[in-house]
């Protein structure tokens, strides 16, 4: 059979088609519930699909993965609670849009752009898998470290009016990410002798607390405000909007594929980088970023779905997971007797094309289910606050407990929730805290690897950085971002008529 | 960067204290980071936490100093702005719910939490609150416990026995 036959396998078999549809549908709802992660859902699926035929199992899991990454945006837009870390950036502008009564339009637009991103990811996976994976494997620890620094510099985008407050929040997140046993030396860091802290603080608990609990507590101030009726008459986005935002969507999709293809990174980092890209490149947004800019909604959504295709590249071609879900997928493939790695494309090319075809199908189902379920989903925000807020608390608490079936995660979630509430009250952004927690281990570990490989010499590290074109590009971007924040640069850039 | 480092124009009640506590907290965390491996090596386990906490100290000091300079908002009291009774009561309810969750079990504690909180925030008839709480609990239970098999605290309700007896009815 040729590549096309393998590609179309799941399209032509009713069982495979049905399983992909079911997986995508479930994935959307799993992704939308904070605390229920796609990784968790795929892990659970492995346990009851390992006796199935490998194609059936993969169809269901691929659907859950694709749907789950998209689904996280729904609660981010409607309730300001990202269903998954990859939807953190979506909440920044998606929620303000919902507050203006435009939830239907926001979800419709995010659905279409997620699908566009998904397709870009799949096309790159199909066409450039070997090349992209070769590029990704050339990344040195110092490059990963710089990638982490770049991510942390996004606080400039997420910090609102005060950069100092944003930097504080980002650094706090980095510090929270270091809690537990050091992965390189097993030394205790900020554990205060508590064994439960050896595994660190779960980022999902921090996320639910900072976004869910603090937002719900904040909402209590506005109990008497009338519920905003969501305009759900226009679910299919305007063609003019699609045309207008398509270039940005494509640009951020490519960011998503590249970041997704880098082992250890994933949709969350891709989405944040895409958000930053949109903020920097959009000259005159109709609505400012953070207050409901459609660009701020589209960019992360296109990127995080494109990252799915990207994450498959190192998984299928090198056997290295692109993110947590693909790490679970590798386990599933091994269980089914497949060997993901450089030889997979040679020995089992059908698996590659079957996966590409299946991802394409799942992406189409995201469009179908994404656009048809909006009316029901939008009703959630029209629910009276007196009912909705207790439900958010309940879901947050159960979601935090579901991470490890441990009460300690609830305590952490509540502590961060109350702290996040006060942060919000006094103008501290909570987004950078989550960003810091996510990027902490990537930056910390790679900084130490980089400096160890240079035997502790900062000057050697710098010299070697200048000898690598890739490192030079990354360093130049960092320097440019730093310089672009200075008053001298802004004065120079400002048009003469404003001087 | 000066313009971006500028704090908010007015100061909310309690903001000065909050920012000061952040400075103190940052210094404490820096001390804890120092205790990991001191200033020994750039690749030591404590190097990154030291750097992060140093940044926290710097950023919190800038914020605190800006807060000192900015004038207070007029006509706003701490009690109304930060901890109005509704927030304080709901915080207490969440705390009580988290404490009793393990001992009382998910079903009973969640039902009690939903019932009390919805009644407090929504103020409708008891029957209405009762049905809404029950319906919400059933949906959450089905999603988390039955579909995703999340093991929730059982407490005093013999949940597994009830589930297995329901299952046996279908056999």
């Amino acid at each position: 059979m040729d590549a096309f036959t393998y590609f179309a396998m799941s399209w032509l078999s009713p069982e495979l088609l049905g399983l992909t549809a079911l997986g995508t549908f479930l994935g959307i709802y799993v992704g939308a519930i904070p605390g229920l992660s796609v990784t968790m859902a795929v892990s659970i699926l492995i346990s009851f699909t390992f006796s199935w035929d490998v194609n059936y199992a993969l169809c269901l899991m691929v659907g859950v993965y694709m749907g789950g990454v998209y689904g996280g945006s729904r609660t981010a837009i409607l309730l300001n609670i990202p269903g998954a870390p990859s939807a953190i950036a979506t909440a920044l502008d998606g929620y303000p849009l919902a507050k203006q009564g435009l939830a239907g339009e926001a979800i419709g637009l995010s659905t279409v752009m997620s699908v566009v991103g998904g397709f870009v990811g799949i096309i790159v996976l199909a066409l450039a898998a070997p090349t992209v994976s070769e590029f990704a494997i050339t990344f040195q620890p110092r490059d990963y470290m710089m990638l982490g620094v770049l991510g942390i510099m996004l606080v400039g985008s997420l910090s609102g009016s005060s950069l100092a407050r944003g930097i504080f929040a980002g650094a706090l997140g980095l510090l929270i990410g270091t809690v537990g046993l050091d992965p390189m030396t097993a030394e205790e860091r900020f554990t205060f002798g508590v064994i439960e802290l050896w595994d660190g603080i779960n980022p999902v608990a921090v996320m639910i607390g900072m976004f869910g609990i603090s937002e719900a507590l904040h909402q209590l101030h506005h109990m008497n405000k009338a519920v905003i009726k969501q305009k759900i008459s226009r679910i299919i986005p305007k063609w003019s909007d699609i045309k207008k935002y398509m270039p940005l969507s494509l640009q951020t999709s490519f960011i998503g594929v590249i970041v997704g293809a880098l082992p250890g990174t994933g949709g969350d980092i891709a989405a944040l980088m895409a958000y930053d890209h949109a903020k920097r490149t959009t000259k005159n947004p109709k609505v400012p970023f953070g207050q409901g800019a459609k660009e701020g909604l589209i960019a992360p959504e296109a990127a995080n779905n494109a990252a799915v295709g990207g994450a498959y590249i190192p998984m299928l071609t090198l056997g290295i997971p692109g993110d947590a879900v693909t790490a679970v997928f590798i386990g599933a493939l091994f269980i089914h007797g497949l060997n993901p790695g450089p030889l997979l494309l040679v020995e089992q090319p059908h698996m590659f094309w079957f996966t590409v075809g299946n991802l394409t199908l799942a992406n189409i189902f995201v469009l179908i289910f994404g656009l048809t379920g909006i009316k029901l989903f939008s009703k959630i925000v029209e629910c009276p606050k007196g009912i909705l807020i207790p439900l958010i608390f309940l879901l947050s608490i159960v979601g935090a407990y579901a991470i490890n079936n441990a009460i300690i995660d609830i305590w952490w979630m509540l502590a961060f929730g109350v702290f996040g509430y006060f942060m919000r009250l006094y103008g501290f952004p909570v987004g950078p805290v989550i960003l810091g927690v996510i990027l902490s281990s990537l930056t910390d570990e790679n900084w130490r690897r980089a400096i160890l490989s240079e035997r502790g010499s900062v000057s050697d590290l710098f010299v070697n950085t200048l000898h690598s074109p890739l490192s030079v590009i990354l360093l130049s971007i960092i320097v440019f971002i730093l310089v672009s924040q200075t008053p001298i640069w802004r004065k120079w850039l400002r048009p003469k008529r404003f001087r | 960067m000066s313009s971006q480092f500028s704090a908010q124009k007015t100061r909310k009640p309690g903001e000065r204290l909050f920012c000061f506590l952040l400075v103190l907290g940052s210094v404490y965390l820096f001390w804890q980071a120092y205790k990991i491996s001191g200033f020994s090596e750039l690749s030591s386990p404590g190097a990154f936490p030291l750097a992060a906490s140093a940044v926290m100290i710097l950023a919190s000091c800038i914020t605190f100093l800006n807060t000192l300079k900015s004038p207070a908002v007029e006509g706003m009291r701490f009690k109304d702005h930060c901890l109005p009774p509704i927030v304080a009561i709901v915080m207490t309810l969440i705390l009580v719910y988290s404490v009793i969750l393990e001992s009382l079990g998910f079903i009973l504690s969640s039902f009690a939490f939903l019932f009390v909180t919805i009644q407090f925030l929504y103020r409708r008839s008891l029957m209405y609150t009762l049905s809404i709480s029950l319906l919400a609990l059933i949906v959450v239970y089905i999603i988390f416990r039955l579909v995703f098999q999340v093991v929730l605290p059982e407490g005093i309700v013999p949940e597994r026995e009830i589930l297995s007896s329901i299952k046996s009815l279908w056999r």
Side-chain angles (χ1 to χ4, degrees):
Chain A
M1 283 202 274
D2 58 359
F4 181 75
T5 318
Y6 292 123
F7 178 89
M9 246 170 95
S10 51
W11 296 58
L12 302 173
S13 154
E15 291 99 339
L16 296 178
L17 189 86
L19 281 170
T20 311
L22 178 70
T24 314
F25 184 80
L26 287 177
I28 291 174
Y29 286 85
V30 169
I33 301 170
L36 288 185
S37 67
V38 185
T39 321
M40 181 187 123
V42 175
S43 322
I44 291 169
L45 282 179
I46 289 179
S47 62
F48 62 90
T49 58
F50 74 92
S51 57
W52 295 12
D53 177 86
V54 63
N55 293 344
Y56 289 178
L58 281 179
C59 280
L60 196 63
M61 289 195 284
V62 163
V64 169
Y65 185 17
M66 205 60 158
V69 171
Y70 158 74
S73 67
R74 291 233 170 153
T75 36
I77 292 169
L78 295 172
L79 304 169
N80 202 18
I81 306 170
S86 59
I88 289 168
T90 311
L92 298 172
D93 281 286
Y95 185 60
L97 276 167
K99 282 209 287 194
Q100 293 160 28
L102 300 170
E105 198 180 329
I107 295 178
L109 200 59
S110 71
T111 305
V112 172
M113 294 312 176
S114 291
V115 172
V116 169
F119 278 128
V120 172
I122 295 162
I123 292 166
V124 176
L125 168 70
L127 298 178
T131 320
V132 175
S133 57
E134 270 172 36
F135 174 71
I137 211 162
T138 58
F139 265 60
Q140 298 288 317
R142 60 170 177 265
D143 302 320
Y144 279 112
M145 187 263 291
M146 284 195 277
L147 199 71
V149 172
L150 262 175
I152 293 157
M153 290 173 91
L154 296 183
V155 291
S157 297
L158 304 176
S159 56
S161 59
S162 165
L163 187 62
R165 285 164 200 249
I167 288 176
F168 176 84
L172 175 68
L174 288 173
L175 209 68
I176 294 166
T178 62
V179 174
L181 292 184
D182 173 29
M184 292 171 89
T185 61
E187 212 163 309
E188 288 182 44
R189 298 197 287 189
F190 300 109
T191 56
F192 305 100
V194 180
I195 295 173
E196 281 83 2
L197 280 174
W198 280 11
D199 285 336
I201 300 168
N202 197 296
V204 180
V206 183
M207 194 179 80
I208 300 176
M210 285 277 178
F211 280 102
I213 296 288
S214 73
E215 171 65 31
L217 287 173
H218 213 255
Q219 289 286 329
L220 291 171
H221 286 259
H222 314 289
M223 283 301 288
N224 299 327
K225 267 194 185 171
V227 175
I228 300 158
K229 281 269 172 200
Q230 299 298 323
K231 288 177 199 163
I232 45 171
S233 54
R234 176 172 281 282
I235 293 167
I236 311 287
K238 284 182 240 165
W239 178 241
S240 58
D241 268 359
I242 295 177
K243 245 176 30 184
K244 185 181 166 192
Y245 298 119
M246 190 54 80
L248 177 68
S249 174
L250 290 174
Q251 285 165 26
T252 49
S253 296
F254 282 108
I255 292 175
V257 180
I258 294 167
V259 176
L262 299 174
T265 58
D268 38 8
I269 296 173
L272 288 159
M273 289 197 137
Y275 184 84
D276 182 63
H277 171 81
K279 201 173 173 187
R280 284 176 196 284
T281 54
T282 309
K283 290 275 184 283
N284 297 306
K286 218 171 165 182
V287 179
F289 277 82
Q291 292 173 31
K294 284 181 182 169
E295 291 87 349
L297 171 79
I298 288 157
E301 276 307 294
N304 64 22
N305 274 62
V308 173
Y312 264 88
I313 296 169
M315 182 190 96
L316 289 178
T317 58
L318 302 166
I320 300 168
D323 61 5
V325 188
T326 41
V328 178
F329 259 98
I330 287 183
L333 290 175
F334 274 121
I335 287 171
H336 286 284
L338 297 166
N339 236 340
L343 292 177
L344 186 86
L345 281 166
V346 183
E347 291 172 353
Q348 286 147 329
H350 64 281
M351 275 319 301
F352 179 76
W353 289 110
F354 174 72
T355 305
V356 172
N358 204 225
L359 279 168
T360 313
L361 189 63
N363 206 33
I364 292 168
F365 281 123
V366 166
L367 186 69
I368 297 167
F369 296 136
L371 290 178
T372 49
I374 295 175
K375 282 196 179 181
L376 179 72
F377 240 94
S378 298
K379 289 284 167 203
I380 296 173
V381 277
E382 287 177 23
C383 176
K385 278 189 180 164
I387 297 171
L388 191 62
I389 291 175
L391 270 174
I392 293 174
F393 286 132
L394 181 76
L395 280 178
S396 300
I397 287 174
V398 177
Y401 187 81
I403 304 165
N404 291 315
N405 296 335
I407 285 284
I408 185 86
D409 287 322
I410 296 181
W411 293 118
W412 280 121
M413 188 265 306
L414 289 178
F416 284 110
V418 174
F419 186 62
Y421 166 74
F422 283 103
M423 280 179 75
R424 276 171 194 267
L425 277 184
Y426 295 127
F428 286 82
V430 292
V433 180
I434 312 294
L435 179 62
V437 177
I438 291 167
L439 289 171
S440 185
S441 62
L442 179 87
T443 320
D444 179 23
E445 285 170 34
N446 284 294
W447 157 252
R448 287 159 69 189
R449 282 198 192 109
I451 200 77
L452 276 173
S453 67
E454 305 296 346
R455 291 174 192 164
S457 165
V458 180
S459 56
D460 283 357
L461 179 68
F462 184 68
V463 171
N464 282 331
T465 302
L466 295 181
H467 279 106
S468 155
L470 188 65
S471 306
V472 169
I473 292 170
L474 284 168
L475 187 66
S476 310
I477 299 171
I478 291 173
V479 172
F480 171 74
I481 294 175
L482 271 178
V483 172
S484 69
Q485 299 275 334
T486 58
I488 304 162
W489 174 270
R490 259 184 259 124
K491 201 177 169 187
W492 178 67
L493 207 70
R494 201 183 296 160
K496 275 180 186 166
R497 62 196 163 95
F498 291 119
R499 282 182 195 169
Chain B
M1 252 182 252
S2 59
S3 66
Q4 289 208 38
F5 270 113
S6 62
Q8 289 164 316
K9 279 169 189 152
T10 48
R11 173 169 47 85
K12 291 169 186 164
E15 191 167 353
R16 223 181 245 179
L17 176 70
F18 183 72
C19 291
F20 180 66
L21 289 175
L22 291 185
V23 176
L24 285 185
S26 304
V27 172
Y28 174 71
L29 288 172
F30 184 82
W31 169 242
Q32 288 298 323
Y34 175 78
K35 275 166 70 180
I36 297 170
S37 42
F39 293 117
S40 56
E41 282 171 48
L42 284 169
S43 60
S44 69
F48 190 73
L50 263 177
S53 49
V55 172
M56 279 172 69
I57 292 175
L58 185 71
S60 57
C61 283
I62 292 169
T63 312
F64 179 58
L65 290 175
N66 283 333
T67 317
L68 285 180
K69 279 186 246 165
S70 49
V73 183
E74 282 176 23
M76 197 190 263
R77 290 184 307 168
F78 179 82
K79 197 173 85 71
D80 301 329
H81 178 63
C82 295
L83 226 52
I86 189 168
V87 176
I89 291 170
V90 171
M91 274 184 181
T92 313
L93 286 172
I94 301 168
L95 191 71
V96 171
Y97 172 44
S98 307
V99 170
I100 61 168
L101 180 66
E102 217 162 28
S103 52
L104 214 58
F106 170 76
I107 295 177
L108 284 182
S109 58
S110 301
F111 177 72
F113 171 75
L114 279 176
F115 181 76
V116 174
T117 320
I118 292 176
Q119 185 60 29
F120 170 64
L121 295 176
Y122 199 43
R123 295 179 198 278
R124 290 290 188 276
S125 71
L126 284 180
M127 272 314 284
Y128 183 84
T129 311
L130 198 73
S131 6
I132 288 283
S133 312
L134 208 59
L135 185 74
L137 186 66
I138 290 169
V139 173
V140 172
Y141 187 82
I142 288 172
I143 294 173
F144 279 88
R145 183 69 184 90
L146 302 182
V147 179
F148 294 105
Q149 310 266 308
V150 173
V151 182
L152 296 163
E154 207 171 86
I156 54 171
V157 180
E159 213 181 291
R160 268 173 286 187
E161 282 85 346
I162 296 169
L163 282 176
S164 62
S165 57
I166 292 171
K167 274 183 195 165
S168 66
L169 292 174
W170 300 98
R171 280 181 201 141

